[in-house]
Amino acid sequence: MKFRDGQWLAAEGVHAEYAEEVYRISPTPSGKGVSLLCPTKKILRRGDVLNLSTLTIDIEPAFDGVLSVETTHWQGALRRGPNFDLFPAGQPEVDSQVTKTDKGTTLSAGSLSATVSRKDHTFDISFHSTDGKKRLTALQNRSVGLAYTPAPTTPMQTNDMRDIKHYIFTQTTISVGESIHGLGERFGPFNKVGQTVSLWNADGGTSSDQAYKNVSFWLSSRGYGLFVDTPDRVELEIGSERCCRTQTSVEGQRLKWYIIYGPTPREILQKYSILTGTPGSVPAWSFGLWLSTSFTTSYDEETVNSFLSGMKARDIPVEVFHFDCFWLKAFQWCDFEFDSDMFPDPKGQIARLKAEGTVKKVCVWTNPYLGQASPIFAEAVEKGYLLKRKNGDVFQWDLWQTGMGIVDFTNPAACDWFVSCLNKLFDIGVDCIKTDFGERIPSNDVAWHDLAVDPKRMHNYYAFIYNKLVYEALQARYGPNEAVLFARSATAGSQRFPLTWGGDCESTPEAMAESIRGGLSLGLSGFSFWSVDIGGFEGYPDPWIYKRWVAWGLLCSHSRLHGSNSYRVPWTVDDDDASPEGCSATLAKWTHLKARLMPYLFAQAQESTRNGIPLSLRAMCIEFPDDPTAWTLDRQFMVGNNLLVTPIFEEDDTVQFYLPAGKWTNFFTGEVKAGPGWFTETHSFATLPLYVREGTLLVLGKEGEKRTVYDYTEDVEVRSYFVKEGSKAVLVDGEGKEKVVLEVKGGEIVGKNELKGECVFTVVE
């Protein structure tokens, strides 16, 4: 939200007041921080303290390298929930101190400090590394304030605030050349400078400024991150109100955020994961190919069987089969009952699918809504499971499902009921759940079961409690590391409940690029695992688009074929072209490659979850933070630490990509290129720019391996790419536990004797 009309004028209908000086500095109640009393005009004489507002800014140490900053206008305002679940693994101790020098008062939390200028009648708070070597950002003149809209003509009007909105805002400086990234799964420009961003979950597809997954955290190329600690709507003007500042505003009386010093993106994300939670682990089988029925297509048991037998006949292993919406009866979504007309024996069908070996796991689509045509709607109303309006009516509308209600997860009884429905699905053989929707949660004229929650704060937070409930139900049934979601909505902390996919994209190259930008941004928001609708969701993909999407889609952490009103089995896309360049052969090729990559992928997944970094799509700036070009790259990504991938967007088979400094080896041909530099190549559908980083020990499954789950220490191929002393590869078992460490010492690979079977060692250089 913009509060000014240019640099000099207030926006129409807005009255804003700014902290003009730091009048007094005192300890915070904890005794560890500093509390700043900041009047909204300069206090030059005794009478200036009357008839004006003040802002209190409390700066507290959180843990090493992290400070919290909370700005408050009226301290008596209620602190209503829900609140983010911070420090889920416990808050680390912090070595903090307050010092005073001729420059001002400095609060230090380990490696990060904030200095409040000691100059009279000034407002200037600088955030910097404690050693003084790195200036990060600052709150300067007229950068912290409050605003009213509509603008009152006299302070007397604020005795009735029912028709006046009140905002708190801060403006952190944007330095020359600084770029801002993250803020959830955003499909627009990768660098957010120049954008207006509203953090408010919405079902808007992948081709707008709306997002399914709004995360109130951004990461700066200058070596810091900033997490806004509220699930409420957050409005950001990132160089778009003042070009040199990021403005953060919320409606209310308080605004709290945490500033996180890295200085590297890895360190920032690791500290952010301490604050909001590390990503959950996922089982090895989930990395295999997922095949969906698609959305509004017609299907029954015979259709499902034909899909799976067709995939098997074309040598395309399917790990998970997904039943989308119409496993349920029309108008009854989502009451968890298979449509008996189409699926008279779902338990038997699932058992037969698994016994035949054409698929190992089964997933079904759900959402947290209930159409009134469902036989259980009346029971849900009677027992208070659904969200209500303020007058006591159940909240209903005809958007999506006729007369649908929304499950009220603030009601423990509703949660128990929802889990009991899930357990019935688990009883018939369902292994994982696609938790769709959860974005269009109303914030006006609603009353939650828990009357203490603020409906506006519940809008984004609903995604957290919805996915948490389903994820924990899966954990309770299948074990802590066997739970898998396929979620669309998310907010800060949702990385704890993997995994997510990128929502409704079109079947175009432009939508491929949008989706990649979304995945990169989400990865810079603390999420390790991400997927996409391969081939695009909306429309009918041309064969070339489908094949190009397959290639990079199988190099995402997770890979799913899914569409809207058309199937995504390959033979329906190109009239069953059986040539080596056909859709079926292309899908088989990339599915087999992912299977061979599993020793590398699954080991990298463990590191990703420990450190709160993305497995894939991993932005280039995470691996190469000192390369300015890496911060601009939004059409390529890393898979783990060592593999670089560039999707192809052109029908003429050409692609341009960037290689950072060092030697890079083409995975397919062994050709070596030296970076830094830009390169152009032409590729068949069987390849794309897949380059291996210098110094890599890459462990692959044996030639011809097509399974996702196997012994990653047996019959493997170990490739050396310009390795040096200390080059290392960690191998894990199917549960993610470290089993073998290969390391180059004295020119030899130490640890290879711990490998089993017939292993192949190849030097590629």
Side-chain angles (χ1 to χ4, degrees), residues 380-456:
V381 172
E382 179 185 355
K383 294 185 176 179
Y385 296 159
L386 304 178
L387 177 63
K388 294 182 179 179
R389 296 187 185 273
K390 290 180 179 179
N391 66 2
D393 291 347
V394 168
F395 178 92
Q396 291 181 265
W397 58 11
D398 294 328
L399 185 63
W400 180 240
Q401 290 289 287
T402 300
M404 73 166 219
I406 298 171
V407 179
D408 185 346
F409 292 123
T410 73
N411 181 350
C415 294
D416 292 343
W417 166 74
F418 201 83
V419 170
S420 72
C421 294
L422 293 172
N423 280 327
K424 291 177 182 177
L425 293 176
F426 304 154
D427 289 342
I428 66 172
V430 172
D431 304 283
C432 42
I433 300 292
K434 175 181 171 180
T435 48
D436 204 352
F437 289 85
E439 302 94 0
R440 291 175 176 164
I441 305 303
S443 56
N444 298 315
D445 189 29
V446 293
W448 293 88
H449 176 82
D450 182 353
L451 298 177
V453 304
D454 181 340
K456 291 187 299 178

Side-chain angles (χ1 to χ4, degrees), residues 584-654:
S584 294
T586 300
L587 180 58
K589 160 86 176 183
W590 291 99
T591 306
H592 299 169
L593 175 60
K594 190 170 191 181
R596 287 200 72 199
L597 286 170
M598 278 302 296
Y600 170 78
L601 290 174
F602 202 51
Q604 289 285 307
Q606 312 316 309
E607 179 186 336
S608 294
T609 56
R610 283 194 303 271
N611 297 319
I613 58 176
L615 172 60
S616 171
L617 309 181
R618 183 179 297 181
M620 298 294 294
C621 58
I622 294 178
E623 293 299 321
F624 306 95
D626 297 326
D627 184 337
T629 301
W631 291 90
T632 70
L633 300 172
D634 62 0
R635 298 190 301 278
Q636 60 187 73
F637 55 89
M638 297 293 290
V639 180
N641 301 334
N642 302 311
L643 298 181
L644 184 153
V645 175
T646 304
I648 298 172
F649 303 95
E650 299 294 336
E651 191 172 1
D652 67 2
D653 304 328
T654 61

Side-chain angles (χ1 to χ4, degrees), residues 680-698:
T680 301
E681 292 181 350
T682 300
H683 283 264
S684 71
F685 292 116
T687 63
L688 52 58
L690 175 60
Y691 277 83
V692 186
R693 190 178 186 175
E694 177 181 2
T696 298
L697 273 177
L698 181 63

Side-chain angles (χ1 to χ4, degrees), residues 11 21 46 81 124 231 295 307 346-347 520 576 649 656 660 669 705 708 719 739 749 755:
E21 67 171 77
R46 297 298 294 272
D124 190 342
F295 171 43
F307 283 173
K347 184 175 183 178
L520 292 171
D576 203 11
F649 303 95
Q656 189 177 50
T669 68
E705 181 63 75
T708 304
R719 294 186 184 179
K739 301 299 290 185
I749 299 175
L755 298 174

Side-chain angles (χ1 to χ4, degrees), residues 55-96:
L55 291 155
T56 301
I57 303 175
D58 292 331
I59 309 177
E60 288 267 1
F63 58 98
D64 183 11
V66 182
L67 291 167
S68 69
V69 179
E70 183 171 43
T71 301
T72 307
H73 179 204
W74 290 338
Q75 306 243 10
L78 291 175
R79 293 181 177 268
R80 301 186 69 187
N83 300 302
F84 288 130
D85 182 17
L86 300 186
F87 301 108
Q91 184 170 357
E93 294 293 324
V94 58
D95 178 19
S96 64

Side-chain angles (χ1 to χ4, degrees), residues 150 155 166 270 288 498 535 540-541 553 621:
H166 180 285
Q270 194 272 331
Y540 300 83
C621 58

Side-chain angles (χ1 to χ4, degrees), residues 426-672:
F426 304 154
D427 289 342
I428 66 172
V430 172
D431 304 283
C432 42
I433 300 292
K434 175 181 171 180
T435 48
D436 204 352
F437 289 85
E439 302 94 0
R440 291 175 176 164
I441 305 303
S443 56
N444 298 315
D445 189 29
V446 293
W448 293 88
H449 176 82
D450 182 353
L451 298 177
V453 304
D454 181 340
K456 291 187 299 178
R457 294 169 72 93
M458 275 298 298
H459 174 86
N460 285 350
Y461 196 71
Y462 189 87
F464 181 89
I465 58 175
Y466 164 38
N467 287 298
K468 180 175 187 286
L469 183 74
V470 180
Y471 187 73
E472 291 180 347
L474 284 161
Q475 287 183 311
R477 173 58 66 99
Y478 295 117
N481 294 320
E482 284 291 311
V484 183
L485 304 180
F486 233 88
R488 191 174 73 173
S489 60
T491 189
S494 295
Q495 67 269 12
R496 292 159 54 186
F497 321 122
L499 59 105
T500 60
W501 99 96
D504 299 348
C505 48
E506 296 175 319
S507 299
T508 65
E510 292 79 12
M512 280 200 283
E514 292 164 5
S515 296
I516 289 170
R517 293 194 297 268
L520 292 171
S521 293
L522 192 68
L524 288 174
S525 305
F527 287 69
S528 288
F529 305 112
W530 181 85
S531 187
V532 67
D533 289 344
I534 293 175
F537 177 72
E538 295 287 354
Y540 300 83
D542 289 337
W544 78 267
I545 291 174
Y546 180 90
K547 288 181 280 191
R548 292 305 185 192
W549 210 314
V550 159
W552 71 268
L554 266 295
L555 292 169
C556 295
S557 74
H558 290 77
S559 308
R560 182 183 68 157
L561 295 166
H562 181 65
S564 178
N565 56 1
S566 59
Y567 302 123
R568 290 292 176 266
V569 287
W571 57 89
T572 64
V573 177
D574 63 359
D575 295 325
D576 203 11
D577 179 355
S579 74
E581 289 279 291
C583 288
S584 294
T586 300
L587 180 58
K589 160 86 176 183
W590 291 99
T591 306
H592 299 169
L593 175 60
K594 190 170 191 181
R596 287 200 72 199
L597 286 170
M598 278 302 296
Y600 170 78
L601 290 174
F602 202 51
Q604 289 285 307
Q606 312 316 309
E607 179 186 336
S608 294
T609 56
R610 283 194 303 271
N611 297 319
I613 58 176
L615 172 60
S616 171
L617 309 181
R618 183 179 297 181
M620 298 294 294
C621 58
I622 294 178
E623 293 299 321
F624 306 95
D626 297 326
D627 184 337
T629 301
W631 291 90
T632 70
L633 300 172
D634 62 0
R635 298 190 301 278
Q636 60 187 73
F637 55 89
M638 297 293 290
V639 180
N641 301 334
N642 302 311
L643 298 181
L644 184 153
V645 175
T646 304
I648 298 172
F649 303 95
E650 299 294 336
E651 191 172 1
D652 67 2
D653 304 328
T654 61
V655 58
Q656 189 177 50
F657 58 97
Y658 176 81
L659 296 177
K663 295 184 179 71
W664 294 85
T665 305
N666 186 307
F667 177 88
F668 299 105
T669 68
E671 179 187 359
V672 178

